[in-house]
Amino acid sequence: TLSEDKVVAIEGSDSDGYKIKTYDLDGNIVNETQLNNIVLENKELKYDNGSSALYIRGKDGYYVTMIDEYGNFKFEPIKHENHVTDNTNFEWSEVSEGLLRVAEDETTTIFVNEKGEEVIEIPYNIECVGNCKNGRIAVNTTEKGFYINADTGEYIEKINEK
C-alpha cells in the first residue's frame, strides 16, 4: 500500500502473527511492527494523511482502530457492528479527512477522529452513510439523500428525493 511517502505492507497469518513493514520509496525498510495474537479482517491498508483503518476480529466481536504508517495503533480498538450478511457486499470503511466511519449498531453510524473520540453520530445504518469527503458526509436512504456537515453534524444539502 502506498502512503504519502512510504510503502506499507502486511505480512503473516492469523496463526503466526502479522508484521507491518514500512519501506521508503527507494525500497529500504524503515520500520517493522509485529502484531501477535490478533485476527485481521482487512489485509489491505488504505492511507489518508498518514492513517489507515485496521479491522480486527476479537473473541467477543469485531473491532477497528487507526494505525499510522509504522503500524502503531492511534487508539485502542473500538467495538463495531459487523454488517456482513449473505445479501450484503460489505466495504471496509477508510480513513477520510481524519475521520473513520464505524457501525455502532444496526441503525447507528458514528465517525471517530484519530484519537478514537466520537465526533459525530448519524442515526442511519452504515450502508446508507458514505465516508467524509470535502467536509461533507453523504447519507442516502431509501426515502431521501442528503449531506451532513462533518464539523457540525448539521444537515446541509439535499441530494435527491426518492
Side-chain angles (χ1 to χ4, degrees), residues 10 12-20 33-43 54-59 63 65 67 71 73 77:
I10 296 178
S13 66
D14 294 342
S15 59
D16 296 330
Y18 292 93
K19 288 183 182 177
I20 297 179
T33 300
Q34 182 72 36
L35 301 175
N36 292 317
N37 302 317
I38 65 169
V39 176
L40 294 182
E41 286 293 304
N42 65 319
K43 308 227 176 32
L54 185 70
Y55 286 85
I56 301 166
R57 186 174 16 164
K59 292 179 182 178
Y63 292 82
T65 188
I67 60 171
F73 287 28

Side-chain angles (χ1 to χ4, degrees), residues 58-142:
K59 292 179 182 178
D60 63 341
Y62 296 89
Y63 292 82
V64 63
T65 188
M66 281 189 211
I67 60 171
D68 65 17
E69 295 168 317
Y70 299 102
N72 300 310
F73 287 28
K74 292 198 168 195
F75 53 85
E76 285 296 312
I78 56 177
K79 196 162 190 176
H80 76 91
E81 182 71 29
N82 184 356
H83 286 289
V84 178
T85 67
D86 291 338
N87 302 323
T88 303
N89 182 13
F90 183 75
E91 293 182 24
W92 300 110
S93 294
E94 301 170 16
V95 176
S96 182
E97 299 185 16
L99 299 176
L100 176 62
R101 181 180 60 154
V102 178
E104 186 172 64
D105 57 38
E106 289 291 332
T107 60
T108 307
T109 302
I110 62 171
F111 283 79
V112 297
N113 63 19
E114 292 184 340
K115 295 178 182 177
E117 302 166 332
E118 180 181 322
V119 294
I120 192 167
E121 179 180 303
I122 301 173
Y124 291 99
N125 183 293
I126 196 167
E127 294 172 355
C128 301
V129 180
N131 287 316
C132 183
K133 300 286 184 205
N134 300 317
R136 302 185 309 175
I137 299 165
V139 179
N140 198 2
T141 71
T142 55

